Amino acid sequence: MSLDVYLNFNGNAREAVEFYAEVFETEAPTIMTFGESPQNPDYPLPEEAKDLVMHSQLIIKGSRVMFSDVFPGMAFTAGNNITLVVVSKDEDEIRSIFNKLKEGGSVGMELQETFWSKCYGMLTDKLGIGWQLSYDNGEMAM
């Protein structure tokens, strides 16, 4: 299991990930845009979202730091744009931690299957800390 950091940006995630890659002298990042992700025909992707960063990551001093732009229309507050990410190869562990953290908090996305994880969810705990939990069966997209 790992505990990672997720940074959200308001349209400048590409600039941020490239900047931090240079600062920390990491490998060049792979960047996936919202436009490159699998699309749901029931929810067409707005044109202004297509080139925004959906996901990128760097390994900085042994820690995974992930980056994304917020989706158009979603709230963005500088300073509150960081979440902690738990990634585990044990799905039961993901479910247990998620259920404990959601008590007294608010769930942004219930645990569910996504194209990058068989079990993924987001929440804010009762202390106001944002969390993402993701099961990694070794087939994660990024």
Side-chain angles (χ1 to χ4, degrees), residues 54-103:
M54 180 181 168
H55 180 78
S56 188
Q57 68 182 23
L58 299 173
I59 303 300
I60 298 175
K61 304 297 184 194
S63 295
R64 181 175 20 196
V65 179
M66 296 173 279
F67 301 79
S68 180
D69 283 309
V70 295
F71 199 77
M74 290 182 66
F76 174 84
T77 304
N80 292 340
N81 54 327
I82 298 172
T83 56
L84 298 176
V85 182
V86 176
V87 178
S88 176
K89 295 186 181 299
D90 183 339
E91 186 174 350
D92 291 334
E93 180 177 46
I94 289 295
R95 292 184 182 284
S96 174
I97 293 169
F98 186 90
N99 288 329
K100 290 174 185 174
L101 285 171
K102 78 177 186 179
E103 289 180 28

Short mmCIF file of all heavy atoms in Angstrom, two decimals, residues 54-103:
data_model
loop_
_atom_site.label_atom_id
_atom_site.label_comp_id
_atom_site.label_asym_id
_atom_site.label_seq_id
_atom_site.Cartn_x
_atom_site.Cartn_y
_atom_site.Cartn_z
N MET A 54 -6.20 15.22 -17.40
CA MET A 54 -7.01 14.35 -16.56
C MET A 54 -6.12 13.69 -15.51
O MET A 54 -6.51 13.55 -14.36
CB MET A 54 -7.70 13.28 -17.39
CG MET A 54 -8.54 12.36 -16.54
SD MET A 54 -9.31 11.12 -17.56
CE MET A 54 -9.87 10.03 -16.27
N HIS A 55 -4.91 13.28 -15.95
CA HIS A 55 -4.00 12.62 -15.01
C HIS A 55 -2.57 12.67 -15.53
O HIS A 55 -2.31 12.47 -16.71
CB HIS A 55 -4.39 11.15 -14.81
CG HIS A 55 -3.50 10.44 -13.85
ND1 HIS A 55 -3.61 10.60 -12.48
CD2 HIS A 55 -2.46 9.60 -14.05
CE1 HIS A 55 -2.68 9.86 -11.89
NE2 HIS A 55 -1.96 9.26 -12.82
N SER A 56 -1.67 12.92 -14.59
CA SER A 56 -0.24 12.79 -14.83
C SER A 56 0.39 12.51 -13.47
O SER A 56 -0.25 12.75 -12.43
CB SER A 56 0.34 14.07 -15.43
OG SER A 56 1.69 13.86 -15.80
N GLN A 57 1.59 12.00 -13.47
CA GLN A 57 2.25 11.74 -12.19
C GLN A 57 3.76 11.80 -12.34
O GLN A 57 4.30 11.59 -13.42
CB GLN A 57 1.84 10.40 -11.60
CG GLN A 57 2.32 9.20 -12.37
CD GLN A 57 1.82 7.90 -11.75
OE1 GLN A 57 0.83 7.87 -11.04
NE2 GLN A 57 2.51 6.82 -12.02
N LEU A 58 4.39 12.12 -11.24
CA LEU A 58 5.85 12.12 -11.14
C LEU A 58 6.23 11.33 -9.90
O LEU A 58 5.48 11.31 -8.92
CB LEU A 58 6.39 13.54 -10.98
CG LEU A 58 6.11 14.54 -12.09
CD1 LEU A 58 6.57 15.94 -11.65
CD2 LEU A 58 6.80 14.13 -13.38
N ILE A 59 7.39 10.71 -9.94
CA ILE A 59 7.97 10.13 -8.73
C ILE A 59 9.01 11.14 -8.26
O ILE A 59 10.02 11.37 -8.93
CB ILE A 59 8.61 8.75 -8.99
CG1 ILE A 59 7.58 7.78 -9.58
CG2 ILE A 59 9.23 8.20 -7.70
CD1 ILE A 59 6.35 7.53 -8.71
N ILE A 60 8.71 11.77 -7.13
CA ILE A 60 9.59 12.80 -6.57
C ILE A 60 10.16 12.29 -5.26
O ILE A 60 9.43 12.06 -4.30
CB ILE A 60 8.83 14.12 -6.35
CG1 ILE A 60 8.29 14.66 -7.69
CG2 ILE A 60 9.72 15.15 -5.66
CD1 ILE A 60 7.42 15.90 -7.55
N LYS A 61 11.47 12.07 -5.26
CA LYS A 61 12.16 11.60 -4.05
C LYS A 61 11.48 10.35 -3.46
O LYS A 61 11.33 10.21 -2.26
CB LYS A 61 12.24 12.70 -2.99
CG LYS A 61 12.90 13.97 -3.47
CD LYS A 61 14.35 13.74 -3.87
CE LYS A 61 15.03 15.03 -4.25
NZ LYS A 61 16.28 14.82 -4.93
N GLY A 62 11.04 9.46 -4.34
CA GLY A 62 10.45 8.19 -3.92
C GLY A 62 8.95 8.22 -3.67
O GLY A 62 8.35 7.19 -3.39
N SER A 63 8.32 9.39 -3.78
CA SER A 63 6.88 9.50 -3.56
C SER A 63 6.16 9.82 -4.87
O SER A 63 6.65 10.62 -5.68
CB SER A 63 6.56 10.61 -2.56
OG SER A 63 7.07 10.29 -1.29
N ARG A 64 4.98 9.22 -5.04
CA ARG A 64 4.18 9.50 -6.22
C ARG A 64 3.37 10.77 -5.97
O ARG A 64 2.63 10.86 -5.00
CB ARG A 64 3.25 8.33 -6.54
CG ARG A 64 2.43 8.56 -7.77
CD ARG A 64 1.59 7.42 -8.21
NE ARG A 64 1.33 6.44 -7.19
CZ ARG A 64 0.86 5.21 -7.45
NH1 ARG A 64 0.65 4.83 -8.68
NH2 ARG A 64 0.62 4.38 -6.47
N VAL A 65 3.53 11.75 -6.86
CA VAL A 65 2.76 12.98 -6.82
C VAL A 65 1.97 13.03 -8.13
O VAL A 65 2.54 12.97 -9.21
CB VAL A 65 3.67 14.22 -6.68
CG1 VAL A 65 2.85 15.50 -6.66
CG2 VAL A 65 4.54 14.10 -5.44
N MET A 66 0.62 13.10 -8.00
CA MET A 66 -0.24 13.07 -9.16
C MET A 66 -0.85 14.45 -9.41
O MET A 66 -0.99 15.25 -8.48
CB MET A 66 -1.32 12.01 -8.96
CG MET A 66 -0.70 10.63 -8.87
SD MET A 66 -1.87 9.34 -8.43
CE MET A 66 -1.93 9.57 -6.65
N PHE A 67 -1.20 14.71 -10.66
CA PHE A 67 -1.66 16.03 -11.09
C PHE A 67 -2.91 15.90 -11.96
O PHE A 67 -3.02 14.96 -12.75
CB PHE A 67 -0.58 16.71 -11.95
CG PHE A 67 0.74 16.90 -11.27
CD1 PHE A 67 1.63 15.85 -11.13
CD2 PHE A 67 1.09 18.14 -10.76
CE1 PHE A 67 2.86 16.03 -10.51
CE2 PHE A 67 2.32 18.32 -10.13
CZ PHE A 67 3.20 17.27 -10.00
N SER A 68 -3.79 16.88 -11.85
CA SER A 68 -4.98 16.94 -12.70
C SER A 68 -5.50 18.36 -12.72
O SER A 68 -5.32 19.11 -11.76
CB SER A 68 -6.07 16.01 -12.16
OG SER A 68 -7.23 16.07 -12.97
N ASP A 69 -6.16 18.72 -13.81
CA ASP A 69 -6.94 19.95 -13.84
C ASP A 69 -8.33 19.62 -13.31
O ASP A 69 -8.81 18.49 -13.47
CB ASP A 69 -7.08 20.48 -15.28
CG ASP A 69 -5.82 21.17 -15.77
OD1 ASP A 69 -5.32 22.05 -15.05
OD2 ASP A 69 -5.34 20.83 -16.88
N VAL A 70 -8.98 20.59 -12.68
CA VAL A 70 -10.38 20.39 -12.30
C VAL A 70 -11.20 20.47 -13.58
O VAL A 70 -10.85 21.17 -14.53
CB VAL A 70 -10.88 21.41 -11.26
CG1 VAL A 70 -10.14 21.24 -9.94
CG2 VAL A 70 -10.75 22.83 -11.76
N PHE A 71 -12.29 19.73 -13.61
CA PHE A 71 -13.17 19.70 -14.76
C PHE A 71 -13.90 21.04 -14.84
O PHE A 71 -14.27 21.61 -13.81
CB PHE A 71 -14.16 18.54 -14.62
CG PHE A 71 -14.80 18.14 -15.91
CD1 PHE A 71 -14.11 17.38 -16.84
CD2 PHE A 71 -16.10 18.53 -16.20
CE1 PHE A 71 -14.69 17.00 -18.03
CE2 PHE A 71 -16.69 18.16 -17.39
CZ PHE A 71 -15.99 17.40 -18.30
N PRO A 72 -14.11 21.57 -16.05
CA PRO A 72 -14.82 22.85 -16.16
C PRO A 72 -16.14 22.84 -15.38
O PRO A 72 -16.91 21.89 -15.46
CB PRO A 72 -15.08 22.98 -17.67
CG PRO A 72 -13.97 22.19 -18.30
CD PRO A 72 -13.74 21.03 -17.36
N GLY A 73 -16.36 23.89 -14.61
CA GLY A 73 -17.57 24.00 -13.80
C GLY A 73 -17.40 23.50 -12.38
O GLY A 73 -18.24 23.78 -11.52
N MET A 74 -16.33 22.74 -12.10
CA MET A 74 -16.09 22.25 -10.73
C MET A 74 -15.39 23.36 -9.93
O MET A 74 -14.62 24.14 -10.48
CB MET A 74 -15.23 20.99 -10.74
CG MET A 74 -15.93 19.77 -11.29
SD MET A 74 -14.90 18.29 -11.23
CE MET A 74 -14.73 18.06 -9.47
N ALA A 75 -15.68 23.39 -8.66
CA ALA A 75 -15.08 24.40 -7.78
C ALA A 75 -13.57 24.19 -7.65
O ALA A 75 -13.10 23.06 -7.59
CB ALA A 75 -15.73 24.34 -6.40
N PHE A 76 -12.85 25.28 -7.62
CA PHE A 76 -11.40 25.24 -7.40
C PHE A 76 -11.05 26.32 -6.40
O PHE A 76 -11.43 27.48 -6.57
CB PHE A 76 -10.64 25.50 -8.71
CG PHE A 76 -9.15 25.60 -8.50
CD1 PHE A 76 -8.37 24.46 -8.46
CD2 PHE A 76 -8.54 26.83 -8.32
CE1 PHE A 76 -7.00 24.55 -8.25
CE2 PHE A 76 -7.16 26.92 -8.11
CZ PHE A 76 -6.40 25.78 -8.08
N THR A 77 -10.36 25.93 -5.34
CA THR A 77 -9.90 26.88 -4.34
C THR A 77 -8.42 26.63 -4.11
O THR A 77 -8.04 25.56 -3.62
CB THR A 77 -10.67 26.71 -3.01
OG1 THR A 77 -12.07 26.84 -3.26
CG2 THR A 77 -10.24 27.75 -2.00
N ALA A 78 -7.58 27.59 -4.49
CA ALA A 78 -6.14 27.45 -4.26
C ALA A 78 -5.91 27.24 -2.77
O ALA A 78 -6.49 27.93 -1.93
CB ALA A 78 -5.40 28.69 -4.75
N GLY A 79 -5.10 26.26 -2.44
CA GLY A 79 -4.82 25.92 -1.05
C GLY A 79 -5.61 24.71 -0.59
O GLY A 79 -5.20 23.99 0.30
N ASN A 80 -6.77 24.47 -1.21
CA ASN A 80 -7.58 23.30 -0.90
C ASN A 80 -7.56 22.30 -2.06
O ASN A 80 -8.49 21.52 -2.20
CB ASN A 80 -9.03 23.71 -0.60
CG ASN A 80 -9.15 24.50 0.67
OD1 ASN A 80 -8.28 24.44 1.53
ND2 ASN A 80 -10.23 25.24 0.80
N ASN A 81 -6.55 22.37 -2.86
CA ASN A 81 -6.49 21.56 -4.07
C ASN A 81 -5.57 20.34 -3.94
O ASN A 81 -5.01 19.88 -4.92
CB ASN A 81 -6.07 22.42 -5.26
CG ASN A 81 -4.78 23.18 -5.02
OD1 ASN A 81 -4.47 23.57 -3.91
ND2 ASN A 81 -4.02 23.40 -6.08
N ILE A 82 -5.46 19.82 -2.73
CA ILE A 82 -4.60 18.66 -2.48
C ILE A 82 -5.43 17.57 -1.81
O ILE A 82 -6.18 17.84 -0.88
CB ILE A 82 -3.42 19.04 -1.56
CG1 ILE A 82 -2.55 20.10 -2.23
CG2 ILE A 82 -2.60 17.81 -1.19
CD1 ILE A 82 -1.48 20.67 -1.33
N THR A 83 -5.31 16.35 -2.31
CA THR A 83 -5.94 15.20 -1.66
C THR A 83 -4.88 14.13 -1.41
O THR A 83 -3.87 14.07 -2.11
CB THR A 83 -7.08 14.58 -2.49
OG1 THR A 83 -6.58 14.23 -3.79
CG2 THR A 83 -8.25 15.53 -2.65
N LEU A 84 -5.13 13.31 -0.42
CA LEU A 84 -4.27 12.16 -0.15
C LEU A 84 -4.87 10.96 -0.87
O LEU A 84 -6.09 10.80 -0.92
CB LEU A 84 -4.17 11.90 1.35
CG LEU A 84 -3.55 13.04 2.15
CD1 LEU A 84 -3.58 12.71 3.64
CD2 LEU A 84 -2.13 13.32 1.69
N VAL A 85 -4.00 10.13 -1.42
CA VAL A 85 -4.44 8.98 -2.22
C VAL A 85 -3.89 7.70 -1.61
O VAL A 85 -2.68 7.57 -1.40
CB VAL A 85 -3.95 9.10 -3.68
CG1 VAL A 85 -4.46 7.95 -4.51
CG2 VAL A 85 -4.38 10.44 -4.28
N VAL A 86 -4.79 6.76 -1.31
CA VAL A 86 -4.38 5.44 -0.84
C VAL A 86 -4.53 4.48 -2.00
O VAL A 86 -5.61 4.35 -2.58
CB VAL A 86 -5.26 4.97 0.35
CG1 VAL A 86 -4.88 3.55 0.75
CG2 VAL A 86 -5.12 5.91 1.53
N VAL A 87 -3.43 3.83 -2.36
CA VAL A 87 -3.44 2.82 -3.42
C VAL A 87 -3.03 1.50 -2.77
O VAL A 87 -2.00 1.43 -2.09
CB VAL A 87 -2.45 3.19 -4.56
CG1 VAL A 87 -2.44 2.11 -5.63
CG2 VAL A 87 -2.82 4.54 -5.16
N SER A 88 -3.84 0.47 -2.97
CA SER A 88 -3.56 -0.83 -2.36
C SER A 88 -3.88 -1.96 -3.32
O SER A 88 -4.80 -1.84 -4.13
CB SER A 88 -4.39 -1.00 -1.08
OG SER A 88 -4.19 -2.29 -0.53
N LYS A 89 -3.14 -3.04 -3.21
CA LYS A 89 -3.41 -4.25 -3.98
C LYS A 89 -4.42 -5.14 -3.26
O LYS A 89 -4.72 -6.23 -3.72
CB LYS A 89 -2.12 -5.00 -4.25
CG LYS A 89 -1.16 -4.22 -5.14
CD LYS A 89 0.05 -5.04 -5.52
CE LYS A 89 1.02 -4.26 -6.38
NZ LYS A 89 0.49 -3.79 -7.63
N ASP A 90 -4.97 -4.66 -2.15
CA ASP A 90 -5.95 -5.40 -1.36
C ASP A 90 -7.29 -4.65 -1.41
O ASP A 90 -7.47 -3.62 -0.76
CB ASP A 90 -5.45 -5.51 0.09
CG ASP A 90 -6.36 -6.31 0.99
OD1 ASP A 90 -7.56 -6.47 0.68
OD2 ASP A 90 -5.87 -6.76 2.04
N GLU A 91 -8.23 -5.17 -2.20
CA GLU A 91 -9.51 -4.49 -2.37
C GLU A 91 -10.29 -4.39 -1.06
O GLU A 91 -10.94 -3.37 -0.79
CB GLU A 91 -10.36 -5.20 -3.43
CG GLU A 91 -11.64 -4.47 -3.75
CD GLU A 91 -12.42 -5.09 -4.90
OE1 GLU A 91 -11.90 -5.99 -5.60
OE2 GLU A 91 -13.57 -4.66 -5.10
N ASP A 92 -10.22 -5.41 -0.23
CA ASP A 92 -10.90 -5.35 1.06
C ASP A 92 -10.35 -4.22 1.93
O ASP A 92 -11.10 -3.56 2.66
CB ASP A 92 -10.78 -6.69 1.80
CG ASP A 92 -11.58 -7.80 1.13
OD1 ASP A 92 -12.57 -7.49 0.43
OD2 ASP A 92 -11.19 -8.97 1.29
N GLU A 93 -9.05 -3.99 1.86
CA GLU A 93 -8.43 -2.90 2.61
C GLU A 93 -8.96 -1.55 2.12
O GLU A 93 -9.29 -0.67 2.93
CB GLU A 93 -6.91 -2.97 2.46
CG GLU A 93 -6.18 -1.88 3.20
CD GLU A 93 -4.67 -2.02 3.09
OE1 GLU A 93 -4.15 -2.24 1.97
OE2 GLU A 93 -4.01 -1.90 4.14
N ILE A 94 -9.08 -1.39 0.80
CA ILE A 94 -9.62 -0.16 0.23
C ILE A 94 -11.03 0.08 0.75
O ILE A 94 -11.38 1.17 1.20
CB ILE A 94 -9.60 -0.20 -1.31
CG1 ILE A 94 -8.16 -0.11 -1.83
CG2 ILE A 94 -10.48 0.89 -1.93
CD1 ILE A 94 -7.45 1.19 -1.54
N ARG A 95 -11.86 -0.95 0.71
CA ARG A 95 -13.26 -0.83 1.17
C ARG A 95 -13.33 -0.49 2.66
O ARG A 95 -14.12 0.36 3.07
CB ARG A 95 -14.03 -2.11 0.86
CG ARG A 95 -14.23 -2.32 -0.62
CD ARG A 95 -15.10 -3.54 -0.94
NE ARG A 95 -15.21 -3.73 -2.37
CZ ARG A 95 -15.98 -3.01 -3.17
NH1 ARG A 95 -16.73 -2.04 -2.68
NH2 ARG A 95 -16.02 -3.24 -4.46
N SER A 96 -12.50 -1.13 3.45
CA SER A 96 -12.50 -0.89 4.90
C SER A 96 -12.09 0.55 5.23
O SER A 96 -12.76 1.24 6.01
CB SER A 96 -11.56 -1.88 5.60
OG SER A 96 -11.46 -1.58 6.97
N ILE A 97 -11.01 1.01 4.62
CA ILE A 97 -10.52 2.37 4.88
C ILE A 97 -11.56 3.39 4.41
O ILE A 97 -11.87 4.36 5.12
CB ILE A 97 -9.15 2.60 4.22
CG1 ILE A 97 -8.09 1.73 4.89
CG2 ILE A 97 -8.76 4.08 4.27
CD1 ILE A 97 -6.76 1.70 4.15
N PHE A 98 -12.12 3.18 3.22
CA PHE A 98 -13.12 4.09 2.68
C PHE A 98 -14.30 4.21 3.63
O PHE A 98 -14.75 5.32 3.96
CB PHE A 98 -13.58 3.60 1.30
CG PHE A 98 -14.51 4.55 0.59
CD1 PHE A 98 -14.01 5.53 -0.25
CD2 PHE A 98 -15.88 4.47 0.75
CE1 PHE A 98 -14.85 6.41 -0.92
CE2 PHE A 98 -16.75 5.35 0.10
CZ PHE A 98 -16.22 6.31 -0.74
N ASN A 99 -14.81 3.07 4.09
CA ASN A 99 -15.98 3.07 4.97
C ASN A 99 -15.70 3.75 6.31
O ASN A 99 -16.57 4.42 6.87
CB ASN A 99 -16.51 1.65 5.17
CG ASN A 99 -17.19 1.13 3.91
OD1 ASN A 99 -17.76 1.89 3.14
ND2 ASN A 99 -17.09 -0.16 3.68
N LYS A 100 -14.49 3.61 6.82
CA LYS A 100 -14.14 4.29 8.07
C LYS A 100 -13.98 5.79 7.87
O LYS A 100 -14.44 6.59 8.69
CB LYS A 100 -12.84 3.70 8.64
CG LYS A 100 -13.00 2.29 9.17
CD LYS A 100 -11.66 1.71 9.59
CE LYS A 100 -11.79 0.25 9.99
NZ LYS A 100 -10.47 -0.36 10.27
N LEU A 101 -13.35 6.19 6.76
CA LEU A 101 -13.13 7.62 6.50
C LEU A 101 -14.43 8.36 6.20
O LEU A 101 -14.56 9.54 6.50
CB LEU A 101 -12.16 7.80 5.33
CG LEU A 101 -10.69 7.53 5.60
CD1 LEU A 101 -9.90 7.56 4.30
CD2 LEU A 101 -10.13 8.54 6.59
N LYS A 102 -15.42 7.67 5.61
CA LYS A 102 -16.64 8.38 5.22
C LYS A 102 -17.57 8.67 6.40
O LYS A 102 -18.44 9.53 6.29
CB LYS A 102 -17.38 7.64 4.11
CG LYS A 102 -18.19 6.45 4.52
CD LYS A 102 -18.90 5.87 3.30
CE LYS A 102 -19.84 4.75 3.68
NZ LYS A 102 -20.54 4.21 2.52
N GLU A 103 -17.35 8.00 7.54
CA GLU A 103 -18.19 8.24 8.71
C GLU A 103 -18.04 9.70 9.16
O GLU A 103 -16.96 10.14 9.52
CB GLU A 103 -17.82 7.30 9.85
CG GLU A 103 -18.21 5.86 9.60
CD GLU A 103 -17.83 4.94 10.74
OE1 GLU A 103 -17.77 5.40 11.90
OE2 GLU A 103 -17.60 3.75 10.46
#
